[in-house]
Amino acid sequence: MKKIMVYSIKGGTGKTTQAKTLSKGFAMRGKRVLEIDLDPQGNSTKSFTQVPNDIKRLTEAISELNSAYSKEKELLFIKQYSKQQTGVCLSDVFDDPKKIIEAIRSTRFNHLDVLPSNLELSQTDTKLRLETMKRQENRLRKALNHVRDCYDLVVMDCSPAKSLLTVNALMTEPLVLIPVDFSDDSLQGIALTLQEINALREEYDEIADIDYRILLTMKNSRMRSHQNTESLVRAFFGEKVLNTTIRFQESPINEANEKGLTVLDIKKSNIAEDYEMLLSELEEIL
Ligand SMILES: Nc1ncnc2c1ncn2[C@@H]1O[C@H](COP(=O)(O)OP(=O)(O)O)[C@@H](O)[C@H]1O
Ligand SMILES: [Mg+2]
């Protein structure tokens, strides 16, 4: 079972977009894929498990009512949106690794399952830190042992926060994919992410030799500064930088998000071509 961990301490670098596109893409290529949502915001979870058109259905349900406030509409709204993600989630797996079997959910896509998270996962780091009598950093590795024959690939979507969740993910010995965008602090983002990985490697003996690749993403090739940044990153990091660069293209991304799909399903977009290249490149490395 191979593992990819999409990680950067910088927010908004497209981690979730990459994790879910790679998960779906490898599943389309016949691999049995498990995506683990390690971000308490649960964006990957929502995009794979929520029924699209939720808002449309709710709007239809109130179509006879006017725009004035009513208790009836308030109750309808609360009923619809207060529903917690029921069932077992990733936070329960950190309490008891065996629970992974109950927590995994299938998606509407072939070969693709998700280990979902919700906001409760934001408590997990603190909870783990208080459990000083038991080892806290190998829970995810233990959990994955229970399903190691069920999947060819695990893709982990991480939050930018420094936490024991990151340590747990690194302990599974993944290939770390560090997405880098072209904003002003993108180079600092690489430096701090690598510094964090190196610090964890020193702190935890088991995080031996973690391999990583840098993925340049959201590039606008008409921008001179983007080209300069790309040259600089390639000059510093050589073969650690993937050949594929993902272009900035908003409309297919938005269309995919609205339909609960990925850009790979939006035909004739440049960005789908980029992702197909990325999938092939990663297939060679894994
Ligand atoms: N290649 C791209 N081109 C244009 N917009 C993108 C691209 N990749 C991601 N985005 C958008 O950038 C925003 C941040 O992406 P997201 O995947 O949520 O990042 P993160 O998980 O790192 O916070 C989202 O609105 C997403 O739709
Ligand atoms: Mg995210």
Side-chain angles (χ1 to χ4, degrees), residues 15-16 39 43 157-158:
K15 290 182 288 298
T16 299
D39 189 338
N43 292 335
D157 178 18
C158 294

Side-chain angles (χ1 to χ4, degrees), residues 206-237:
E206 287 103 323
I207 305 177
D209 237 355
I210 290 289
D211 200 6
Y212 72 88
R213 292 291 184 280
I214 290 171
L215 173 65
L216 293 158
T217 181
M218 300 194 230
K219 183 182 170 188
N220 182 342
S221 45
R222 273 170 296 179
M223 303 267 290
R224 190 65 194 241
S225 65
H226 287 200
Q227 290 180 23
N228 294 342
T229 303
E230 173 159 4
S231 305
L232 184 79
V233 173
R234 290 196 183 279
F236 260 101
F237 292 99

Side-chain angles (χ1 to χ4, degrees), residues 56-256:
K56 189 161 161 260
R57 279 189 295 118
L58 194 64
T59 317
E60 276 163 13
I62 60 163
S63 61
E64 288 121 70
L65 305 172
N66 60 31
S67 63
Y69 167 82
S70 80
K71 193 75 189 167
E72 188 192 351
K73 279 195 288 185
E74 184 182 298
L75 291 177
L76 183 67
F77 189 90
I78 292 174
K79 205 168 86 192
Q80 183 73 19
Y81 289 109
S82 66
K83 263 189 310 189
Q84 291 296 315
Q85 281 263 4
T86 46
V88 183
C89 275
L90 184 56
S91 48
D92 304 297
V93 176
F94 278 103
D95 286 340
D96 177 2
K98 286 193 298 297
K99 289 231 165 112
I100 190 168
I101 313 277
E102 294 161 63
I104 288 175
R105 292 189 213 161
S106 50
T107 65
R108 48 204 186 91
F109 305 114
N110 274 342
H111 303 306
L112 176 57
D113 289 349
V114 63
L115 180 47
S117 82
N118 59 18
L119 279 174
E120 266 180 75
L121 191 64
S122 54
Q123 313 289 333
T124 298
D125 183 60
T126 318
K127 261 165 70 185
L128 286 175
R129 282 182 199 280
L130 293 173
E131 285 185 30
T132 46
M133 302 300 282
K134 282 197 273 175
R135 292 197 57 198
Q136 316 119 324
E137 66 280 357
N138 63 353
R139 305 275 168 99
L140 190 60
R141 190 166 68 184
K142 274 191 169 167
L144 286 178
N145 267 336
H146 291 281
V147 295
R148 63 167 179 244
D149 298 326
C150 307
Y151 299 100
D152 303 307
L153 178 71
V154 170
V155 178
M156 293 175 270
D157 178 18
C158 294
S159 115
K162 297 181 178 187
S163 76
L164 276 170
L165 301 179
T166 317
V167 178
N168 267 271
L170 284 171
M171 285 277 181
T172 68
E173 298 181 327
L175 174 73
V176 183
L177 187 65
I178 305 175
V180 174
D181 63 7
F182 291 86
S183 55
D184 291 343
D185 50 1
S186 61
L187 300 177
Q188 194 184 14
I190 306 179
L192 293 177
T193 304
L194 290 175
Q195 203 173 44
E196 172 71 3
I197 293 172
N198 289 340
L200 292 173
R201 204 187 265 149
E202 262 176 34
E203 194 175 337
Y204 297 94
D205 293 338
E206 287 103 323
I207 305 177
D209 237 355
I210 290 289
D211 200 6
Y212 72 88
R213 292 291 184 280
I214 290 171
L215 173 65
L216 293 158
T217 181
M218 300 194 230
K219 183 182 170 188
N220 182 342
S221 45
R222 273 170 296 179
M223 303 267 290
R224 190 65 194 241
S225 65
H226 287 200
Q227 290 180 23
N228 294 342
T229 303
E230 173 159 4
S231 305
L232 184 79
V233 173
R234 290 196 183 279
F236 260 101
F237 292 99
E239 61 272 22
K240 291 287 182 195
V241 189
L242 292 167
N243 293 327
T244 311
T245 297
I246 308 285
R247 281 170 274 196
F248 181 87
Q249 226 192 352
E250 256 173 334
S251 61
I253 294 254
N254 292 342
E255 186 183 341

